[in-house]
Amino acid sequence: MDSDCRADFFISYHAANRQWAEWIGSKLESSSYSVIVQDWDFKPGEDLIERKNQALETCRRILAVVGHAYLTAPISRQEWTAAFLQNEEDRGRLLCLRVEDCDLPALLRPLGMVDLVGLDEVMALAALRRGVATGRSRPASVTYPGARDTSAGLLRFPAELPRIFEVPPRNHHFTGRLGSLARLQKQLTDSVTVVQAALYGLGGIGKSQIATEYSYRNAASYDLVWWLPAEKPAIMQSGYARLAEELGIGMTTSQPGLRDALFRELKRRGRWLLVYDNAEQPDDVYPLPSGGHVLITSRNPNWEAVAATIALDVLSGPEAEAFLTKRIRSAAVEGTQEIRDLARRLGRLPLALEQAAAYVDAADITVGDYLALLGESAADALAAKPPLGYSRSVADTWMLSLEQIKKLSPDGYRLLTFCAFLGPDMIPRRLLATSHLALPPHLGAVVGSKARYQAAVMHLRRYSLITTSSEEISLHRLVQWVVRQRAAGFGWSPAHVVEDAVAWLLQVFPVESGELENAALCEALLPHVLAVRDRAAEYDAPRGDLAVLLERAAVFLHAQARLAASRDLFETAWEIGRRLPQADPFRIRLQMGHGRLLQELGQVAGARAAYEEIEASARSGPAAAAPLLAMVLIDMGRLLQEEGLLGPARERIQEALDLMARFEAPVGDRARAEGILGRIQQDLGNIHEARSAYEDALALSIGEFGLRDSRVALRRNNLAGALHLAGRVTEAREQLSIALTTLEDVYGRDHDRTVAVRLNLGTALHALGEYPRARQQYEHARAICEGLALPDDLRIAMISTGLGSLCHDDGDLSGARMRHDEALSAGRGLHEASHPRMVVIAANAAATLERTDELDRAGGLAETALAAAVKLYGKCHPRVAAVRSTWALLLGRGGDFPSARAQAAQALADSERVYGSGHNRIAVIENNLGWLAWLESSGAAASVMAAHFGRAVAAAEASYGPAHPRAAVIRANLRSSMTGTTDPVPLFVPLQIHQQATTIDR
């Protein structure tokens, strides 16, 4: 029709559904409607976008022919979106005609839809007429054009298959692969020049299934679809002959003559699709016909010269799970996790998934039963008879390829066998070549020769047994399994291959695996270390060298703060290494590394036992063992310090420093010992001595490593603790900010190694009254820890108690109580009530509970914390004074004012002795003494209150600064003591344990 006129319908469609659009247009015009169809009405050279916009604006209604391609193609989406986004009155102009089994987008669901899926022509025509008749007069009569042959110029009903259609039965369980189908659709229908496409990939990846699904989905676009098995030329020629017979081409005695005649007829006809299934190489199918579409499936990726190539990978996780959920009867599935586990165990390979589903149904077992069978006897599970529609099982699918590779390329088979015992992905291609001398001679000679190596890779790629980049080789885990299963039959000993893999990894895995500069290489090799660990157990391979390899990997994981994974490797290595003599150097190194990890995991008893055994061995050894003794004394000293055993801890560290003075000790070790000594002095209340030790450690580290090294950041973190306790909080914040910036530059903002410094910086910002910034640091630290999901993370309790104290000072007592309860719960799961961390957690919680009037619970916590602190540190320690100050508040609330005054006075005296009269703790305790005087309301209350509050104001403004929230509270209390207009409020001393980023010292 003349498209400049106002037509009844504009038919919006994708090229994949052109046949449907033309059928719909033809039927509507036969029913006296006017329509605009792009392929009928838009002329070459016209501005198609302008013409479409004009049609969208002028036509009375828009019919959207909805299929998979229509919903995903951008140009089609623009058309229905443009229609939808008109004003609400015009929105009803859009009518969806669903021609394929697909889900409509949410925007389209509320609108009208005519469903043509699965209808024959008579029913489809009736549905179409009903759908478009709304609000209009229906034509009195309709002429049925009838079926026709394409050559006669008539249209076939799109839902009917072409008369000449030979394709394997459709898989009704087909799921996913929309991306691959869309790429295939684009290659064959959107291209002007490329009408030949090749799907390639591993056997069992689903190439033939996708080709089958494409053939059925797009049958309406073709008048002829023919499937040619191309694995063997003779069978392919037979397929040509049967097609020629269907087309009425006379038989000839010459195969080339028959093929040429067939190709001429196909070129004359057009609108056809030939599928060459499982072709080996281009020469086997060349020449190809022209005038239609050619689809090739192959394991060989080398089709660029004759076709556009599309690589197929395994199903995505959601696709694999959706397939299994659809394919397996629901009674056999006990939970979604089983489906997820099965998809993962089978590497999301379509053939393996189908075979597993068929096995579950045939044997009438559950998915859990099949998973157990995979674990006990993978050969029985994977070598079962092929599922319906497949010619071979998973195991048999690759056996033919392996046999051909062994004949055609022994070098390729050697490489494939070695790779089958490593991790399946990211095998370092270049590293194999550069380290070829560490490989067994028969393989080293291959990868050491550029020509032989490239030829081996080429042969393996031809059969899609591997995928490659310039840097990596990867292969499917089930291919690995088949290769390993067949290794012995092909003359290989699996145990010897495991030994070879361990020997190679020992040569390439860095000895100094905890160093940052080696992290990238260690990370790349880690999956292969884990693979050979599993293979060694499976094939009972010798494990001596394996223990050394696992220890290196465990140290790397510990340095990366992946503690649970590190523990697993250390424990496996220790099961091997513990059989060595006690003085064996590797056994000692392994045991020390394991002990450090156990200490960080909070398993103190195990760590201490390891250190004590090493210490005893070193003390009984020769004088040359002094460096070893110094190292274990440092580790033991740190452990004892963290457990509150400060006297023995100081003895160990001082002995280590004396030993290191006698030999050429590494600067980093001396700095570490000085840092731990500073921490011990800090816990003993010797703040000036602690600061001196920290400054010595910092100077040593800067001189050895430079300003931007992570170990220097650790020393700054330690020094900040002493500065904070000395009341020099601004200086502490500066050191912590520099340390955090350094660690973020080295490791990144969200790395575990930033947690300790973030927590300490949050505490400093809290003390400075910068509450929002303090909260940010606490919550960032908590998010990092929660992301690691360690079962017993010691830091969670300390972050929670810090957040609780911050909420308390910020007036959020409900939030404070919640955080303190979290801290108490986490702490009690890890420590006894007498542990230093529990002293801090309980005292902070008690202060908040006093403010929420939960006096009995608060009193119990404070009394227990005070008794534990006295036992740990002695009666006059400043940390004891802080707990004593809180206990005094609770005694006052209970009416025991003489005891309350006595406790507060002792806290004040002990704090002044250590910190002087201008410290922020003095301000808090003086304020609380004034509050106690007000609470008691004795005759001298007013003057006593004023004196205490006045001294508190002076100390607060000297330490906190006039603008600090706590200084403002104390000033308000002073005014209250003089005017009596408001009630004064007590304050508390927030306790902390300055966190040590000790992992960096590893």
Side-chain angles (χ1 to χ4, degrees):
M1 68 158 288
D2 182 358
S3 59
D4 290 332
C5 298
R6 181 174 171 84
D8 291 316
F9 299 108
F10 170 63
I11 302 180
S12 172
Y13 61 96
H14 185 274
N17 303 120
R18 176 180 173 179
Q19 182 95 354
W20 272 108
E22 293 183 339
W23 181 84
I24 292 165
S26 174
K27 298 305 176 188
L28 291 174
E29 287 196 341
S30 297
S31 299
S32 302
Y33 293 110
S34 57
V35 299
I36 294 178
V37 178
Q38 176 179 327
D39 286 286
W40 295 354
D41 297 301
F42 296 173
K43 299 177 177 60
E46 290 184 330
D47 187 337
L48 292 181
I49 295 177
E50 176 61 28
R51 298 284 281 132
K52 281 189 177 182
N53 288 337
Q54 182 184 21
L56 287 168
E57 291 173 4
T58 60
C59 289
R60 293 185 177 85
R61 299 189 73 183
I62 300 160
L63 302 182
V65 182
V66 179
H68 294 284
Y70 185 82
L71 294 176
T72 56
I75 187 65
S76 305
R77 178 176 287 270
Q78 289 171 13
E79 290 177 16
W80 66 257
T81 303
F84 187 87
L85 295 179
Q86 303 294 326
N87 60 57
E88 192 163 343
E89 184 178 342
D90 287 344
R91 202 168 290 171
R93 297 169 61 220
L94 180 64
L95 176 64
C96 296
L97 306 176
R98 198 172 78 118
V99 299
E100 292 179 358
D101 188 8
C102 56
D103 294 327
L104 267 63
L107 281 174
L108 297 181
R109 288 173 198 158
L111 305 180
M113 183 189 78
V114 175
D115 197 349
L116 305 180
V117 177
L119 303 182
D120 61 25
E121 184 167 17
V122 173
M123 295 177 67
L125 182 55
L128 175 63
R129 286 172 172 167
R130 286 194 301 272
V132 301
T134 304
R136 300 186 63 198
S137 298
R138 189 170 178 175
S141 63
V142 177
T143 302
Y144 175 61
R148 63 159 182 102
D149 185 81
T150 304
S151 61
L154 300 175
L155 292 174
R156 186 183 81 248
F157 178 52
E160 294 176 355
L161 295 175
R163 183 180 64 80
I164 302 176
F165 187 87
E166 181 165 297
V167 176
R170 194 172 193 176
N171 182 353
H172 295 290
H173 301 297
F174 187 91
T175 305
R177 294 297 199 185
L178 294 180
S180 299
L181 286 166
R183 286 195 298 274
L184 184 55
Q185 176 88 47
K186 185 175 181 63
Q187 292 288 5
L188 290 178
T189 63
D190 288 2
S191 174
V192 176
T193 58
V194 179
V195 291
Q196 292 156 189
L199 292 169
Y200 72 88
L202 176 68
I205 206 77
K207 302 179 294 295
S208 299
Q209 292 294 314
I210 291 178
T212 300
E213 183 67 16
Y214 176 84
S215 299
Y216 280 94
R217 284 195 183 188
N218 293 274
S221 299
Y222 301 107
D223 297 321
L224 179 157
V225 181
W226 198 259
W227 191 275
L228 293 163
E231 190 170 359
K232 294 182 179 180
I235 298 176
M236 185 177 70
Q237 293 300 328
S238 174
Y240 279 153
R242 287 188 295 104
L243 177 56
E245 184 178 357
E246 284 283 346
L247 295 176
I249 299 172
M251 295 292 106
T252 68
T253 56
S254 164
Q255 282 189 354
L258 174 65
R259 183 191 63 199
D260 292 345
L262 174 61
F263 286 7
R264 284 194 299 271
E265 175 61 18
L266 289 173
K267 185 175 182 178
R268 184 188 69 79
R269 286 173 169 261
R271 288 177 56 84
W272 50 261
L273 170 68
L274 295 191
V275 181
Y276 292 81
D277 185 47
N278 206 20
E280 292 272 340
Q281 56 188 349
D283 288 347
D284 292 345
V285 299
Y286 192 81
L288 294 169
S290 60
H293 294 168
V294 171
L295 173 55
I296 301 163
T297 73
S298 178
R299 300 183 191 188
N300 187 348
N302 301 309
W303 291 89
E304 291 87 350
V306 297
T309 57
I310 300 173
L312 289 185
D313 201 350
V314 295
L315 295 173
S316 67
E319 285 180 330
E321 292 163 25
F323 171 80
L324 289 172
T325 302
K326 180 179 178 181
R327 176 66 179 82
I328 298 176
R329 67 188 192 284
S330 59
V333 182
E334 296 175 2
T336 57
Q337 188 58 47
E338 283 188 343
I339 291 290
R340 194 171 295 117
D341 289 344
L342 181 58
R344 178 185 55 80
R345 289 279 297 276
L346 297 176
R348 308 195 306 276
L349 184 79
L351 172 56
L353 299 176
E354 174 62 36
Q355 183 168 326
Y359 193 107
V360 167
D361 285 349
D364 195 20
I365 61 175
T366 67
V367 173
D369 295 333
Y370 188 83
L371 283 167
L373 179 63
L374 271 178
E376 296 167 7
S377 178
D380 290 334
L382 297 175
K385 73 174 186 177
L388 186 66
Y390 292 84
S391 59
R392 301 185 183 97
S393 68
V394 171
D396 292 340
T397 292
W398 297 312
M399 272 308 297
L400 293 175
S401 296
L402 293 179
E403 290 170 357
Q404 288 178 319
I405 283 291
K406 196 168 188 305
K407 293 176 184 176
L408 295 174
S409 175
D411 286 352
Y413 191 78
R414 293 186 185 103
L415 176 62
L416 183 67
T417 301
F418 186 77
C419 291
F421 287 80
L422 300 176
D425 301 313
M426 296 183 292
I427 298 167
R429 184 174 177 177
R430 294 184 189 275
L431 187 59
L432 280 170
T434 57
S435 60
H436 66 275
L437 294 177
L439 293 165
H442 64 270
L443 180 59
V446 174
V447 300
S449 162
K450 184 176 290 188
R452 290 179 67 182
Y453 193 11
Q454 290 177 349
V457 168
M458 181 185 69
H459 278 96
L460 294 175
R461 286 188 73 246
R462 176 179 168 182
Y463 289 91
S464 287
L465 290 169
I466 64 172
T467 58
T468 62
S469 69
S470 59
E471 301 294 333
E472 296 167 351
I473 295 173
S474 298
L475 60 166
H476 195 277
R477 64 183 69 249
L478 293 183
V479 172
Q480 288 186 306
W481 176 83
V482 171
V483 173
R484 292 196 302 269
Q485 292 299 303
R486 300 300 191 266
F490 285 163
W492 295 70
S493 163
H496 288 162
V497 181
V498 174
E499 277 192 279
D500 292 340
V502 170
W504 174 69
L505 285 166
L506 267 179
Q507 289 297 314
V508 296
F509 203 98
V511 175
E512 299 296 333
S513 54
E515 296 298 323
L516 185 63
E517 58 268 22
N518 293 325
L521 179 56
C522 291
E523 187 67 53
L525 293 173
L526 180 64
H528 309 300
V529 174
L530 300 179
V532 297
R533 174 200 61 182
D534 296 341
R535 300 291 82 77
E538 183 178 352
Y539 297 108
D540 197 24
R543 305 174 73 196
D545 286 346
L546 178 64
V548 180
L549 180 62
L550 295 181
E551 185 266 346
R552 290 185 198 172
V555 169
F556 162 68
L557 289 168
H558 186 183
Q560 294 293 308
R562 288 143 70 176
L563 305 185
S566 177
R567 178 183 57 199
D568 291 344
L569 292 189
F570 264 127
E571 289 176 353
T572 303
W574 181 239
E575 283 300 312
I576 303 168
R578 69 192 312 166
R579 301 181 181 90
L580 297 169
Q582 204 167 41
D584 183 89
F586 169 69
R587 186 185 192 276
I588 292 170
R589 185 174 77 246
L590 174 61
Q591 191 172 16
M592 187 174 291
H594 192 202
R596 289 169 172 170
L597 175 67
L598 291 175
Q599 183 178 347
E600 191 152 353
L601 287 168
Q603 299 177 23
V604 178
R608 187 167 183 173
Y611 293 154
E612 286 174 344
E613 184 176 323
I614 298 170
E615 182 181 346
S617 177
R619 288 191 186 282
S620 63
L628 171 62
L629 179 58
M631 287 301 95
V632 75
L633 288 172
I634 293 172
D635 284 332
M636 180 66 89
R638 184 173 74 88
L639 182 146
L640 294 170
Q641 173 267 319
E642 290 187 351
E643 293 302 297
L645 303 172
L646 303 178
R650 180 165 56 181
E651 291 172 7
R652 297 297 205 290
I653 297 299
Q654 193 58 60
E655 183 181 358
L657 286 167
D658 292 343
L659 278 171
M660 287 190 289
R662 300 176 199 165
F663 63 87
E664 194 79 21
V667 172
D669 293 340
R670 285 161 46 208
R672 180 167 173 248
E674 288 284 2
I676 296 172
L677 179 60
R679 180 62 187 274
I680 294 168
Q681 296 285 20
Q682 180 176 310
D683 285 354
L684 287 168
N686 303 327
I687 304 303
H688 299 296
E689 291 84 348
R691 181 178 174 185
S692 176
Y694 286 148
E695 287 174 341
D696 287 346
L698 178 59
L700 284 169
S701 297
I702 291 174
E704 181 72 9
F705 307 121
L707 288 169
R708 308 306 297 172
D709 188 86
S710 59
R711 287 159 289 194
V712 173
L714 169 62
R715 308 303 163 215
R716 290 191 191 280
N717 177 70
N718 292 351
L719 175 59
L723 291 170
H724 190 145
L725 287 175
R728 303 172 69 167
V729 186
T730 301
E731 294 177 48
R733 179 185 60 188
E734 291 171 359
Q735 292 291 342
L736 290 166
S737 296
I738 296 170
L740 182 58
T741 299
T742 300
L743 295 179
E744 287 181 339
D745 289 345
V746 174
Y747 300 111
R749 291 189 72 250
D750 299 322
H751 197 279
D752 179 74
R753 288 184 174 180
T754 67
V755 169
V757 181
R758 285 193 192 285
L759 178 51
N760 296 335
L761 181 56
T763 303
L765 292 167
H766 175 191
L768 290 168
E770 300 181 41
Y771 296 164
R773 293 183 61 201
R775 186 183 299 276
Q776 287 176 358
Q777 294 298 337
Y778 282 138
E779 290 180 347
H780 196 160
R782 186 183 187 94
I784 294 171
C785 292
E786 289 175 344
L788 293 170
L790 297 176
D792 298 313
D793 195 331
L794 303 172
R795 300 164 300 182
I796 293 291
M798 304 314 297
I799 295 169
S800 294
T801 193
L803 276 167
S805 296
L806 176 64
C807 291
H808 180 131
D809 272 352
D810 207 18
D812 179 12
L813 294 179
S814 174
R817 188 182 184 282
M818 179 185 72
R819 294 300 190 183
H820 286 311
D821 282 343
E822 289 175 356
L824 286 165
S825 176
R828 285 167 177 161
L830 298 170
H831 307 298
E832 298 293 332
S834 58
H835 194 279
R837 290 191 182 92
M838 288 307 299
V839 169
V840 170
I841 292 168
N844 289 343
T848 292
L849 293 171
E850 182 273 328
R851 296 291 290 138
T852 58
D853 293 328
E854 298 174 74
L855 300 183
D856 289 343
R857 187 178 176 212
L861 288 171
E863 190 171 16
T864 301
L866 180 59
V870 169
K871 186 175 181 180
L872 284 167
Y873 307 115
K875 289 184 178 181
C876 301
H877 192 281
R879 186 168 287 167
V880 175
V883 183
R884 198 183 298 281
S885 172
T886 299
W887 177 233
L889 298 180
L890 289 160
L891 289 171
R893 289 292 299 273
D896 186 357
F897 294 110
S899 297
R901 287 196 304 274
Q903 292 290 340
Q906 184 174 346
L908 180 64
D910 292 340
S911 298
E912 281 187 322
R913 186 183 66 256
V914 176
Y915 301 122
S917 60
H919 195 276
N920 54 38
R921 287 196 181 183
I922 306 305
V924 172
I925 299 172
E926 285 282 13
N927 176 81
N928 291 348
L929 280 164
W931 176 79
L932 284 169
W934 167 80
L935 191 64
E936 186 176 4
S937 299
S938 62
S943 60
V944 172
M945 275 194 293
H948 283 306
F949 286 138
R951 288 192 292 271
V953 167
E957 294 188 346
S959 57
Y960 289 124
H964 194 284
R966 284 196 162 199
V969 170
I970 296 172
R971 282 197 301 271
N973 287 346
L974 176 59
R975 287 193 299 272
S976 172
S977 71
M978 293 185 271
T979 64
T981 54
T982 58
D983 292 345
V985 295
L987 295 172
F988 79 107
V989 179
L991 275 174
Q992 60 160 336
I993 290 183
H994 194 79
Q995 300 299 299
Q996 307 299 300
T998 48
T999 306
I1000 299 170
D1001 266 335
R1002 301 296 179 236

